[in-house]
Amino acid sequence: MSLRDLLIRVSEVFEPEGKASSDLPGQALLLGVKERQDLPWPQGCTALGYGGQGNASRTPWIGVFDPTINEKPGEGLYLAYIYRSDLRAVTLTLQQGITSLTDTYGKGARLHRYLTAQAEKLRGALHPTLADKWRDELDLLVETKYWRARSYEKANVAARRYELASMPSDEALAEDLKEGVQLLRDAAAADRLLFQVPRSSEPALEYPKHDHGGDDNLGGFQPRSSRGYSVVIKGGTADRRQEHEALLARFALHARACEYEASNRGVHPRDLVLRHRKHPGQDWLVEAKTVLPGREYLAGREAVGQLFEYCHVHYTLRGKPTPHLIALFTHDIGDYADYLETLGIASIWERPDGWGGSSLAADWRLTT
């Protein structure tokens, strides 16, 4: 049975009323997912189906798990094909486990606020180009009394919805699932980097308090999510996007894949310091900047000023070896990268398919 056939078949035979009995065809189909060998789950992933416990679920689902991240739907992060209550649509969603949170947050508004806040933070750490393709709404068409289904809606980090009457091909479903697994792994890494204690094998990112960057026009302002926000500064109000922390988290993971260690523990106000086991005693000093359309030069100027200042204050005056300098950007800065190279500063920017950069960045094997 193909994945497309399975998703359609469940919608045709599932019984949303009554008991969750394995004698019923819909329940049996879902329970059998775990043992099936003919479904195209990505390498290393497992799956299981859920049709309810005791009573049938209004919103049955098929979960897809990466065992290196999580194998329990009640906690952690996982993917799930969750059916709308009318069984006319199914959504592939990157989910946060909810059951383990109910003792702390209950099953109502407090839980929903927590899940929504966490989803916003995780969403901001995903690769922007890929995340933009996964912005479908998860609306399961359920009444308030169905707390679990309502919590699924709030726990959604990223989603692709399919109408059962016009299901895409198996090839398209497989490609979407592959993207979903990448989002799952990125979100899990961000979860550990941003909200939990990092594992010993992962880059250690520790985001500073509200005084990051020293005394400047932002005063005590502290960003709280990856959504757009406004800050009042001398001379007016500027709209900004809090991409800075998310960019650093993604780049730290990339640097780790390139065999660097990434840390900002004890390096404040510097953004990030890279080190490489083959070059003991040598730092790569990273300053990250959000690039506004048409104002690439401003991001470049700011990076130059801060990199040189931090190099002088934290290295030269302390008699430490001069670090290599990296300006990290959310977007390509065009010809300005050539100028930075003349100053000995490498430029690196995020692309839809990876990381671009100047010749220095390529020499340091930090581009893809």
Side-chain angles (χ1 to χ4, degrees):
M1 177 179 289
S2 71
L3 177 57
R4 183 178 186 274
D5 290 342
L6 173 66
L7 294 174
I8 293 174
R9 186 59 178 160
V10 169
S11 72
E12 292 174 340
V13 302
F14 185 78
E15 310 85 353
E17 306 292 343
K19 299 297 183 180
S21 170
S22 59
D23 294 332
L24 298 173
Q27 297 285 347
L29 191 57
L30 288 168
L31 289 172
V33 166
K34 186 175 182 179
E35 306 301 328
R36 298 191 75 103
Q37 303 296 317
D38 57 347
L39 294 169
W41 309 128
Q43 185 175 4
C45 291
T46 61
L48 61 86
Y50 176 82
Q53 189 171 4
N55 293 322
S57 172
R58 302 292 297 180
T59 55
W61 52 259
I62 296 171
V64 181
F65 303 86
D66 181 339
T68 64
I69 297 171
N70 172 45
E71 293 183 277
K72 299 177 181 179
E75 60 186 57
L77 296 166
Y78 64 102
L79 296 173
Y81 292 94
I82 303 181
Y83 285 85
R84 202 166 62 194
S85 61
D86 62 4
L87 298 178
R88 294 181 179 179
V90 63
T91 300
L92 177 55
T93 166
L94 172 52
Q95 279 283 303
Q96 306 170 71
I98 59 175
T99 304
S100 62
L101 299 172
T102 56
D103 287 345
T104 303
Y105 297 100
K107 298 179 179 179
R110 287 183 64 220
L111 176 62
H112 292 172
R113 286 195 296 269
Y114 173 82
L115 291 170
T116 299
Q118 291 297 96
E120 289 177 359
K121 294 174 184 176
L122 290 171
R123 201 174 294 126
L126 301 177
H127 192 290
T129 302
L130 190 56
D132 282 345
K133 298 167 59 180
W134 286 70
R135 292 188 178 274
D136 289 346
E137 182 181 6
L138 181 60
D139 184 355
L140 300 176
L141 302 182
V142 291
E143 300 174 38
T144 305
K145 65 180 179 180
Y146 296 105
W147 76 269
R148 188 175 297 275
R150 292 298 300 273
S151 298
Y152 292 156
E153 295 173 342
K154 305 301 182 183
N156 172 54
V157 177
R160 296 294 300 271
R161 184 176 62 252
Y162 310 109
E163 299 295 330
L164 271 300
S166 56
M167 283 289 287
S169 67
D170 275 306
E171 292 75 16
L173 290 172
E175 185 60 30
D176 286 349
L177 183 55
K178 180 181 177 181
E179 290 183 356
V181 171
Q182 184 60 57
L183 289 172
L184 169 63
R185 291 168 178 166
D186 288 349
D191 183 47
R192 292 191 293 268
L193 286 167
L194 299 176
F195 315 126
Q196 302 175 17
V197 176
R199 296 176 181 175
S200 59
S201 61
E202 293 177 335
L205 285 177
E206 179 182 80
Y207 290 103
K209 301 295 184 181
H210 63 272
D211 60 343
H212 176 60
D215 295 328
D216 60 16
N217 289 336
L218 296 183
F221 174 77
Q222 181 180 9
R224 292 183 174 85
S225 80
S226 61
R227 301 170 72 182
Y229 62 84
S230 295
V231 294
V232 178
I233 61 176
K234 292 180 180 179
T237 300
D239 291 327
R240 303 204 174 184
R241 285 190 56 82
Q242 188 191 349
E243 297 179 282
H244 184 267
E245 287 83 357
L247 175 67
L248 282 170
R250 292 191 296 269
F251 180 70
L253 293 172
H254 166 65
R256 173 189 164 210
C258 298
E259 301 185 347
Y260 287 82
E261 295 179 0
S263 176
N264 73 349
R265 292 178 183 240
V267 302
H268 176 65
R270 292 161 286 175
D271 278 339
L272 197 65
V273 171
L274 304 183
R275 298 184 178 98
H276 199 289
R277 59 183 175 80
K278 293 183 178 179
H279 302 279
Q282 177 65 61
D283 285 1
W284 280 258
L285 180 58
V286 181
E287 180 64 28
K289 293 296 173 188
T290 298
V291 179
L292 299 177
R295 296 193 174 186
E296 294 82 359
Y297 64 94
L298 289 179
R301 287 177 185 172
E302 292 175 359
V304 169
Q306 287 179 272
L307 284 169
F308 282 160
E309 176 186 334
Y310 297 156
C311 180
H312 179 71
V313 172
H314 297 281
Y315 293 89
T316 304
L317 293 183
R318 299 181 183 185
K320 295 182 178 181
T322 301
H324 296 314
L325 305 179
I326 297 175
L328 176 66
F329 301 103
T330 51
H331 304 288
D332 189 344
I333 59 168
D335 294 339
Y336 211 86
D338 296 334
Y339 167 62
L340 295 185
E341 285 269 318
T342 68
L343 302 176
I345 299 174
S347 300
I348 299 176
W349 54 85
E350 197 164 21
R351 300 184 312 205
D353 59 347
W355 298 87
S358 62
S359 59
L360 269 178
D363 289 344
W364 296 332
R365 300 184 182 278
L366 283 167
T367 57
T368 56

